[in-house]
Amino acid sequence: MNSVIPAPNMKSVQIKEFARTYNFDDVISMSDQVERPKRKPGTVLIRVVACSLAPGDCRVASGHTELIQGPKKFPYIPGGDISGIVEEVDENKSRFKVGEAVIAIFKSPRPVDGLAEYIVVDEERVEKFDPEKIDFLDAVCLPSSALAALNVVSNVMQNDKVMVLGGSGGVGPFLVQLCKLAGAKFVACTSTQQAMMEKLGVDRVIDYTITNWWELEEFQADPFDLVFDCVGGPTGWKTIRQCKSIKRSYDNGRYVALTFDNPLMQVHNYWQLVCFVSNIAGRAFWNWLVQRSIPYYRLTSDALKFSPASFKTLLDHVEGKRLQVIIDHKGPFEFTQTGVIEAFKLQASRHAHGKVVVRVAPNPTD
C-alpha cells in the first residue's frame, strides 16, 4: 500500500536566476514552502537521501547553454541524480515497492528537481539496490558519471594501452577501473592525485601541472592505442602534437572525447548553436582528411544512454568490490544554503577529486 504524505510542502534548493559568472552565492537559496511534486501513472515518488552533481548541473545554473538546457521557469530546483526511498508507486503495477532503496537519473537534457526532499521520476529511469550492501552516498554517484564510463568503455579492446585525461574527476575514477575490467593491459591517466589513482589500479599517473604526457619519450616510443578525454579544452583535439603519442588510425589508434573540445561552450542563441554544431562537423571532416596520420576521433554521443540493465551492471560491480566509488574529500555537503553553494563552486571549479555529493537526508539504515 502506498504511504500517506502528511504535508503538502517540502524543503528544496531554489535557483532564482542564472549564475552567469558562476557566482552561485547570489542565486541559490533554500525554501521549505515548495509544493511536493505530484506523482502521475508510470512514475515513482522518491524521498531523496542524496544528490550528486555533474558538469551539466553547473551548465544549467550558469545559463551558458540556456537554448538547449535552460530551465523551463524560475525559480527551479537543481540536481538530477539521486538516491532515496520509494514513497509512492502505481499500486500492483510497478516493479518497485514502497520502502525500497533506489537510484535515479534525470531525464535529458536538463538535470533538475533532485536537490529536494522529494522527487518524481519516470519509472524506467529508476533502479533499486540493497542498502545493506551499498551506501546511499556511494549509490548516488553511479547514475551519470559511472554510467558515462560504462557506456564508453566498449571502445576498449583486449590488451589495449589506454590513457585517461582527467582521471580523478567525476567520470575518470570509474573509467580507469572499468578499462581494467574490460581487458586493458596498461592504463595511464593525468591527475594530481597520484596515491588515489594508483589505489584504483592505474599503472602510470602523470601530473598534468608539471608534465605534458604526450612529450614523454616512453609514450612516443610505445604509443597509446586509445585515449579517453574527460577534460576537453586545451588538451583536446586541437593540440595536434599529442598525436605522436597515440597510434595512427591505420594502426588502430583511437581518441574518444567524453566532452566537447570547449567544455565551457556557450549556447544562448541559434547562431551559437550553429557554430557549436559546425565545430563538431568540422572536427569530423578534419579527421576524415587526415585520418591516416592521426588517431580516429570520436565525440561520444551516448555517454548518458540509459537502461535499467546498465544500472544493474554498475551496482553489481560495486557490490562485488570490483568498482570503487570516490567521493571528493570535501563532501558530502550538507543540505543547507551554504552547503549547496560550496558544492556547486567545487563542481564548477573542475578540480573536484571524485564525485560531488550533497546529503539531503540522514541514511535510513543508520
Side-chain angles (χ1 to χ4, degrees):
M1 179 177 292
N2 294 334
S3 61
V4 177
I5 300 176
N9 294 333
M10 66 177 181
K11 183 179 179 181
S12 80
V13 176
Q14 297 277 280
I15 293 186
K16 64 180 180 179
E17 61 184 87
F18 288 130
R20 296 292 188 185
T21 59
Y22 292 104
N23 184 7
F24 299 108
D25 299 84
D26 295 336
V27 303
I28 292 179
S29 63
M30 302 293 295
S31 174
D32 58 4
Q33 297 300 311
V34 178
E35 184 179 359
R36 285 176 174 167
K38 295 181 175 60
R39 194 188 65 81
K40 298 178 181 179
T43 64
V44 182
L45 177 64
I46 301 169
R47 176 162 49 90
V48 179
V49 174
C51 178
S52 65
L53 301 184
D57 296 290
C58 292
R59 281 198 299 272
V60 174
S62 71
H64 286 179
T65 55
E66 61 184 301
L67 184 64
I68 53 179
Q69 282 189 303
K72 295 181 178 180
K73 63 178 181 178
F74 286 104
Y76 81 95
I77 302 171
D81 297 334
I82 63 98
S83 63
I85 301 293
V86 174
E87 194 78 9
E88 184 181 333
V89 294
D90 288 329
E91 195 169 4
N92 301 321
K93 294 181 180 180
S94 174
R95 60 191 176 98
F96 299 106
K97 297 179 181 178
V98 171
E100 288 185 320
V102 293
I103 53 176
I105 187 172
F106 65 92
K107 188 173 183 179
S108 187
R110 298 177 186 86
V112 295
D113 297 335
L115 279 167
E117 291 180 315
Y118 293 89
I119 187 174
V120 169
V121 184
D122 292 340
E123 184 166 312
E124 65 267 18
R125 308 191 73 80
V126 181
E127 188 54 56
K128 59 186 174 182
F129 68 95
D130 186 346
E132 297 297 327
K133 296 180 180 179
I134 304 178
D135 186 83
F136 283 86
L137 296 178
D138 285 344
V140 78
C141 298
L142 303 180
S144 286
S145 296
L147 177 65
L150 181 68
N151 284 338
V152 301
V153 81
S154 59
N155 290 277
V156 176
M157 298 181 183
Q158 195 71 24
N159 295 320
D160 266 350
K161 184 176 183 179
V162 179
M163 165 63 81
V164 176
L165 305 181
S168 56
V171 176
F174 294 115
L175 187 52
V176 296
Q177 296 176 82
L178 290 171
C179 283
K180 286 284 190 173
L181 290 175
K185 68 177 179 181
F186 181 91
V187 176
C189 77
T190 58
S191 174
T192 58
Q193 304 297 303
Q194 181 170 344
M196 182 180 87
M197 300 315 296
E198 289 179 346
K199 184 178 178 181
L200 296 179
V202 174
D203 299 291
R204 183 83 154 82
V205 183
I206 297 95
D207 186 339
Y208 63 90
T209 65
I210 299 173
T211 305
N212 292 327
W213 63 273
W214 61 88
E215 294 178 349
L216 295 175
E217 292 184 2
E218 63 183 286
F219 298 149
Q220 293 182 24
D222 183 16
F224 290 98
D225 299 289
L226 173 62
V227 170
F228 286 113
D229 188 354
C230 303
V231 182
T235 58
W237 68 272
K238 294 179 181 178
T239 309
I240 200 68
R241 292 176 301 168
Q242 294 183 9
C243 294
K244 59 188 177 183
S245 292
I246 314 171
K247 289 182 179 179
R248 293 170 291 186
S249 62
Y250 60 78
D251 290 325
N252 208 25
R254 290 147 283 146
Y255 189 109
V256 178
L258 281 79
T259 186
F260 309 108
D261 295 318
N262 178 12
L264 300 179
M265 64 176 182
Q266 298 199 27
V267 184
H268 300 292
N269 52 56
Y270 286 104
W271 170 245
Q272 289 180 327
L273 179 61
V274 168
C275 292
F276 167 64
V277 173
S278 298
N279 182 58
I280 295 175
R283 178 64 185 89
F285 180 67
W286 171 254
N287 188 87
W288 176 79
L289 282 178
V290 293
Q291 59 184 317
R292 293 185 63 80
S293 60
I294 66 172
Y296 170 79
Y297 176 92
R298 176 188 173 216
L299 173 61
T300 182
S301 60
D302 59 357
L304 295 184
K305 185 178 180 181
F306 168 77
S307 72
S310 57
F311 268 2
K312 191 174 187 309
T313 296
L314 292 169
L315 290 165
D316 286 346
H317 280 322
V318 176
E319 282 190 15
K321 309 299 182 184
R322 296 181 295 275
L323 189 64
Q324 183 178 345
V325 176
I326 302 295
I327 297 174
D328 187 276
H329 71 279
K330 295 179 181 178
F333 292 88
E334 294 304 312
F335 188 51
T336 62
Q337 181 174 353
T338 299
V340 173
I341 288 173
E342 290 305 310
F344 266 88
K345 286 181 177 179
L346 177 59
Q347 182 63 59
S349 74
R350 305 182 73 224
H351 291 294
H353 299 136
K355 289 293 293 181
V356 178
V357 175
V358 176
R359 187 200 306 270
V360 176
N363 190 329
T365 62
D366 289 345

